[in-house]
Amino acid sequence: MRRFLKPFLVMLAVCTVILSCKKDKVAGSGSSSFTANDYTFNKATKDFTPATSIGGQLISSEGIRFVYCYLIRTNATDSLIYVTDNTADNPTNYTLNIPLTSFPVNNMSKATGVKIMAKQTDNSTIPGFIKITYFDPALPQLSNFPAGVTANLNGGNTAVTGTVTSAYGIKKVDVYDDSKVENTYELVTSIADMNNAKTYALNYAYKYRKAAQHIKVIATDVYNQTNEVIINMPVDLAAFKPAFINFATSITPNLSGATAITGNVTSVSGLKKIDIYDDYQGAYVLVNSLTNLNSSVNYSFNYNYTFRRRATNIKLIAFDTDDLQTEKIIPLNFTYQTQLYRDVVMNAQTTGTATIFFADNGTTKGNCDLNTSESTMSFLFYGTGTGPAFYSPTNTTNVASNFRCNGASWVISNASSFRATRFRVLLPGTTGTDNIYAQYNAGTIDALDDAFFTANAVTAPTGSSARFDAVAAATATVFNITTAYLIYVRIPDANGTTYKNALIRAKEAVSSTGTSTVKFDILIQK
C-alpha cells in the first residue's frame, strides 16, 4: 500500500502545479477581432496593392500589448517579419501597418499571407490572417521583327517594323544602335505617350549612323518591365574607318639615325589623331601621338622614328573624329643576336612549381618534370639555409632528394646528361663591368658572344651557383637586386661542345628557404 501511495501523491502534486498556472487563451470572437483586406504583391514593381504597406484593424476588449506578424510561404518555414510594442498605451482599437521593408521582396513567389498574433494585456491572443496573392506579370512581347535589315547608306530611310504587345499596357518603345562601338548601344529615339496601349505597330524610319551594325528595340510596359529584340545590320565597316594606304609592309630600321615611316591615312569624316607605338619593352609602348590633323580626310603621313633595341614591330593607330579606329602593324627588318625573356618567375623546391628553367624557350617547369628534363634543363632554383640560389644541374647531386613530387624525392636517373651551367655575378667597380651595366640599362646590348665579355675584361663564369643575399656584400657568387644584379651565365648546348652566353637581370627576390622566389629578365645568345 505504501508503494502505491507515494507515486500517487507525487502525480497529484504535479497536476496541482499545472492547474495553478495561468494559461494563454484565445480571445472570444465577440469581444476582440482582426479585419484586413486582401493584397496582391507585384513581382515587377516589388510592391503591394492596393497600398504600399499592408495591415488591418485590431479591436481588443482588454488592450493590446504586442502584435507578432509571420510571413507564410509554402516553400519555407513561417518567419517573423514584424513586431509592434504597444505596452505604453495598450490600445483597444489599433491600426496595424506592416512596412514594405519588412518583406523579402525578392523571395515572395510562394507567399500566401501574413499570420497575425496579437497579445492582449490578459495574456490572451487575437489571431488574424492577411491574404497575399503573388502576381508575376508577363513581359511585353515583340513579334514580327526581322532578323536582319539592309541599311540604306545613302542618307535614306531604313524601315524598322514589328509589333509590340503587353497585357497590361505599353509605356514606351526605344530604338538604339551601336554606331560608336559594336554591341554598345546608344539611344536613337524614344517613342513615348503610348497611353498604355496594349498593342503598338512600330514602323520607324531609321537613318543610318556611321559604323552601326545592329539595331536594338526595347519595349517597356507600365510596370517598367522591359523586353528587347536585336536586328542585325551587316555593313562593311572598312568603308567608314580610317585606312592606311601606301605604307611599307616592313621597314629596315636606321641604326644610327631616323627611320622614315611614310604613307597616306584617309578618313570619311576626318582624322582626329594618329598614335605611334613600338614594342621594345615586349609590349607596345606609345612613342608619339600626332594630334594637329585638322580633321584631314587624306593625311600625308611622314614620321621619323628612332629605333629602339628589342623593338620588332611598329604599330600605328588612326582615330577619326567619331573615335572609330584602325591599326596597322609594320614589322622591323632587324635580326637580333640574342633573345630576351622578361619577368621570368621561379620558386624553390618546397613550392616546387617552377624550379627548372629552359634557355631554349624561356619557360619553367616544376619538380614533377625533373626526371624528364635532366638533359634539357639549363639551371634550377634552390632554397638553401643561407639564401636561395640559381643552381647548375651538375650541382644538384647532394640536394636532389629535397625536390619532391607528390611526396616522392627526385632520384637522378642520368647525371651524365646534366649541363654544366656556370655563373658569375658581375660586380660594379671596374670600367668593363660598369660599361656592361650601362649598356644593359640603356637597352643597347645585343651581341653576347665571348668577344663582348673579353672587350669588357670579364672572364668566363666558373661558379656552379649564384646565391641571393640582400645584406651580405656581393661576390662573384652572391648577387642582390640593387647593385650587383647582373649575372653572367654560360649554358652548354645539348651537344656538349658549344654553349650560349646569357645575362640574368635579377629584379625581385624573396628569401624563405624552400618557398623562396625570384623574378628576373634573361638575355640569351642565339
Side-chain angles (χ1 to χ4, degrees), residues 70-74 76-79 110-115 129:
Y70 298 86
L71 180 63
I72 309 302
R73 289 173 290 181
T74 59
T77 56
D78 299 351
S79 53
K110 301 298 182 179
T112 59
V114 176
K115 181 173 69 176
F129 188 78

Side-chain angles (χ1 to χ4, degrees), residues 265-312:
V265 185
T266 61
S267 169
V268 174
S269 62
L271 291 166
K272 179 180 179 179
K273 67 174 181 175
I274 301 172
D275 289 340
I276 301 130
Y277 295 79
D278 72 9
D279 57 355
Y280 86 106
Q281 290 186 354
Y284 284 104
V285 178
L286 184 66
V287 176
N288 203 350
S289 185
L290 308 181
T291 55
N292 296 322
L293 306 183
N294 300 317
S295 300
S296 173
V297 296
N298 191 340
Y299 180 74
S300 179
F301 185 90
N302 189 342
Y303 181 76
N304 288 325
Y305 165 72
T306 301
F307 176 66
R308 298 193 285 192
R309 295 276 181 173
R310 313 315 313 178
T312 57

Side-chain angles (χ1 to χ4, degrees), residues 145 158-163 191 200-206:
F145 283 86
T158 300
V160 180
T161 61
T163 302
I191 304 167
Y200 178 74
L202 178 67
N203 188 355
Y204 177 68
Y206 168 75

Side-chain angles (χ1 to χ4, degrees), residues 331-344:
L332 293 170
N333 297 323
F334 185 83
T335 301
Y336 290 97
Q337 299 179 56
T338 50
Q339 177 68 51
L340 176 62
Y341 298 106
R342 304 173 190 269
D343 295 330
V344 180

Side-chain angles (χ1 to χ4, degrees), residues 34 36-37 39 54-56 96 98 112-114 116 128-132:
F34 175 78
N37 293 322
Y39 291 85
I54 73 172
L96 173 67
I98 307 172
T112 59
V114 176
I116 305 299
F129 188 78
I130 304 171
K131 183 180 178 181
I132 295 174

Side-chain angles (χ1 to χ4, degrees), residues 162-190:
T163 302
V164 181
T165 58
S166 170
Y168 316 105
I170 305 165
K171 182 178 180 180
K172 65 175 181 174
V173 176
D174 295 327
V175 180
Y176 295 77
D177 70 9
D178 55 353
S179 60
K180 293 292 180 64
V181 179
E182 186 175 5
N183 296 320
T184 299
Y185 292 92
E186 293 186 349
L187 183 66
V188 176
T189 190
S190 184

